[in-house]
Amino acid sequence: MESRNRFGFFSNVPPVTKNLIIINILCWLASIVLPRTVGFDVIGWLGLHFPGASDFRLFQLVTYMFLHDSHSFEHIFFNMFAVFMFGRLLEQVWGSKRFLLFYVVTGIGAAIVQEVTWWFMIHSLAEANHITIAQQIAMDPGINQLITIGASGAVFGILLAFGMLFPNAPLFLMFIPIPIKAKYMVIGYGLIELFMGVVNFSGDNVAHFAHLGGMLFGFFMIIYWKKKDRKHGEYLY
């Protein structure tokens, strides 16, 4: 009895949420250990590259979302904390299958938006140099160093979903003891990401438009499911 209670807290986490957290932690540990032990660059191989780059692989649209900065514990901690806090509630409402689909699709959606963002950036460079994008890629080895990793796109999709399903739920920002309704928190996050992405502060290596991409794909998925469920007499929203 004592042994079961010891693990009771984590055992109450829904299966998809729990396994997503475990997989992300294992991948993060692998990105630290494997380069040092066997020389395998996990992030370089599985992180998201620009499609024109030599290291791009199609599977990176999925694998990138399970990787995090190997030099930062905060990156994986805050993403997985958000998955735990909000993802488990969505899984309880939607069920495991729908929640997993939502997580993966919003993550892929974020990757697609990030690729489009890169394309515009490289297109601008090519225009400035009066060459084609293909020529810009060929002459600029730095393009192959463009790598995006992290679950943040899917996490922002989760935050959006929580705000849409529980719009009046009170949330608290760290160090601010004033409750903020979930819908306003989500809108605020979205506006901040849009502002940061457009302004593109110097030294800012955060994929702000990818975060917005996760929210955008999540929004359309929820609208689609909402119409579909009501058509079948289900009212979960």
Side-chain angles (χ1 to χ4, degrees):
M1 179 68 71
E2 182 179 348
S3 177
R4 288 199 299 269
N5 288 339
R6 187 179 302 170
F7 300 98
F9 176 77
F10 201 61
S11 66
N12 290 329
V13 179
V16 170
T17 301
K18 176 169 60 178
N19 285 307
L20 284 174
I21 294 173
I22 292 173
I23 291 171
N24 274 274
I25 292 175
L26 290 176
C27 289
W28 181 67
L29 292 174
S31 69
I32 297 174
V33 175
L34 293 183
R36 301 175 182 176
T37 56
V38 298
F40 180 69
D41 185 3
V42 177
I43 292 177
W45 183 253
L46 301 179
L48 182 67
H49 290 72
F50 183 69
S54 59
D55 288 345
F56 172 77
R57 303 291 184 275
L58 190 60
F59 58 73
Q60 293 169 354
L61 292 169
V62 176
T63 56
Y64 90 98
M65 71 180 81
F66 296 100
L67 301 174
H68 291 81
D69 187 355
S70 57
H71 302 290
S72 170
F73 176 71
E74 290 81 4
H75 189 205
I76 187 171
F77 173 78
F78 286 111
N79 274 346
M80 292 305 101
F81 181 73
V83 171
F84 170 76
M85 289 296 296
F86 304 108
R88 60 194 175 103
L89 298 175
L90 296 179
E91 186 175 352
Q92 289 170 355
V93 173
W94 281 340
S96 297
K97 183 178 179 180
R98 179 172 285 195
F99 174 66
L100 178 60
L101 178 63
F102 183 84
Y103 186 94
V104 173
V105 170
T106 52
I108 293 175
I112 293 173
V113 172
Q114 180 61 30
E115 298 285 21
V116 173
T117 303
W118 278 336
W119 185 89
F120 277 109
M121 181 188 73
I122 296 170
H123 177 69
S124 298
L125 290 174
E127 279 194 332
N129 293 323
H130 304 289
I131 57 177
T132 66
I133 290 181
Q135 291 172 325
Q136 182 68 40
I137 294 172
M139 66 175 286
D140 187 356
I143 290 177
N144 196 50
Q145 302 304 314
L146 295 174
I147 304 176
T148 291
I149 57 174
S152 299
V155 166
F156 270 77
I158 288 175
L159 291 174
L160 175 85
F162 184 85
M164 292 181 70
L165 268 66
F166 309 102
N168 296 315
L171 299 177
F172 293 86
L173 288 174
M174 192 175 295
F175 307 121
I176 302 179
I178 302 174
I180 303 174
K181 290 184 178 181
K183 56 185 177 184
Y184 299 132
M185 182 84 77
V186 168
I187 292 173
Y189 266 122
L191 291 175
I192 290 172
E193 289 301 311
L194 179 61
F195 174 77
M196 296 289 284
V198 171
V199 174
N200 191 20
F201 287 119
S202 176
D204 184 358
N205 62 351
V206 179
H208 297 290
F209 285 114
H211 298 170
L212 290 173
M215 298 179 82
L216 181 65
F217 274 72
F219 175 79
F220 285 121
M221 286 188 73
I222 292 172
I223 294 300
Y224 169 74
W225 283 339
K226 185 176 182 179
K227 292 181 179 179
K228 180 182 176 182
D229 291 345
R230 285 183 175 176
K231 184 177 180 180
H232 291 85
E234 299 178 10
Y235 299 91
L236 300 177
Y237 303 88

